[in-house]
Amino acid sequence: SVQEDPPGEQLGHLNFAQGLAIAVTGSIFSAIWIIVRPRGLVVQFCTCSFVLSLVCTQLLMKELASSVKFRYPAIVTSLHFLSVWLVSWMFWAAQGELFHRCNPASLGSSRRFFTFVLPIAASLPLSIVFNNTSLLYMGAGLAGVVGTMAPIITAILTHFLGRRISRHGWMGVLVATCGASFIAIGEAGDPGKED
């Protein structure tokens, strides 16, 4: 028979885990802040905000799928891209660059547009739909592991295709791989528990 911890010990363990999570999160944001420091305060703020928004989006999408039993992740993705489109248009209009930024000829040729922009524009929504859909079937931590593997695989492929990656870049790949492994081990150790 499985013995359960008394409520006080569960709470103590939970508080330790929460404290550890806060410490690790603070360390990650501190490292990001230090790494991009040479690029200025605006870049530091934008980079940390970007990471925070990714994490919040992942956790909120998982909460939506788990607690409300929302089963239509493509709607969330559509609203996401509609919001990005509207905010981008408003920003460019305020800057007076709306027609320049939205003109495919601004890339120099239609061939460049169809070679570079269109494949990204077609695949990015799919990646977000698949990410949101994955949260219906797995925890946010495991979905994060899958998301972490994309830059790792990209770095390895670009290396084999001839691009030189610095020692610091490979250290980043190693850290991401270790982090992804720890999350995967944690998810495998408790597969029935929701995030």
Side-chain angles (χ1 to χ4, degrees):
S1 108
V2 177
Q3 283 186 330
E4 290 190 25
D5 293 333
E9 288 182 28
Q10 283 180 341
L11 187 60
H13 178 69
L14 184 63
N15 285 337
F16 173 75
Q18 287 175 335
L20 184 60
I22 290 169
V24 169
T25 302
S27 299
I28 290 170
F29 278 102
S30 297
I32 291 169
W33 196 263
I34 291 166
I35 290 168
V36 297
R37 183 180 55 203
R39 298 180 184 202
L41 189 60
V42 171
V43 173
Q44 288 173 305
F45 178 76
C46 287
T47 304
C48 287
S49 297
F50 171 68
V51 171
L52 182 63
S53 71
L54 286 175
V55 171
C56 288
T57 301
Q58 194 88 336
L59 292 173
L60 288 170
M61 189 64 203
K62 180 60 183 174
E63 183 64 25
L64 181 65
S66 296
S67 65
V68 183
K69 304 295 183 209
F70 185 79
R71 299 288 182 222
Y72 307 102
I75 291 173
V76 175
T77 304
S78 299
L79 291 172
H80 165 91
F81 281 103
L82 179 62
S83 299
V84 168
W85 182 75
L86 289 172
V87 169
S88 297
W89 274 57
M90 288 187 298
F91 176 77
W92 291 329
Q95 298 290 319
E97 298 183 4
L98 179 62
F99 295 108
H100 173 71
R101 296 283 182 165
C102 296
N103 184 356
S106 66
L107 288 174
S109 73
S110 59
R111 182 172 185 247
R112 267 183 80 151
F113 177 79
F114 287 109
T115 304
F116 295 107
V117 176
L118 202 57
I120 294 169
S123 65
L124 188 58
L126 287 176
S127 75
I128 294 184
V129 167
F130 292 143
N131 179 60
N132 290 345
T133 303
S134 74
L135 292 169
L136 298 175
Y137 305 104
M138 67 176 81
L142 190 55
V145 169
V146 173
T148 301
M149 297 310 290
I152 295 168
I153 292 168
T154 302
I156 292 168
L157 282 175
T158 57
H159 174 74
F160 286 118
L161 292 173
R163 182 167 186 243
R164 181 159 165 72
I165 297 175
S166 70
R167 196 174 295 164
H168 286 79
W170 284 116
M171 286 174 54
V173 169
L174 178 64
V175 168
T177 304
C178 290
S181 300
F182 286 131
I183 293 170
I185 289 167
E187 289 278 335
D190 197 9
K193 186 176 179 183
E194 285 289 321
D195 284 342

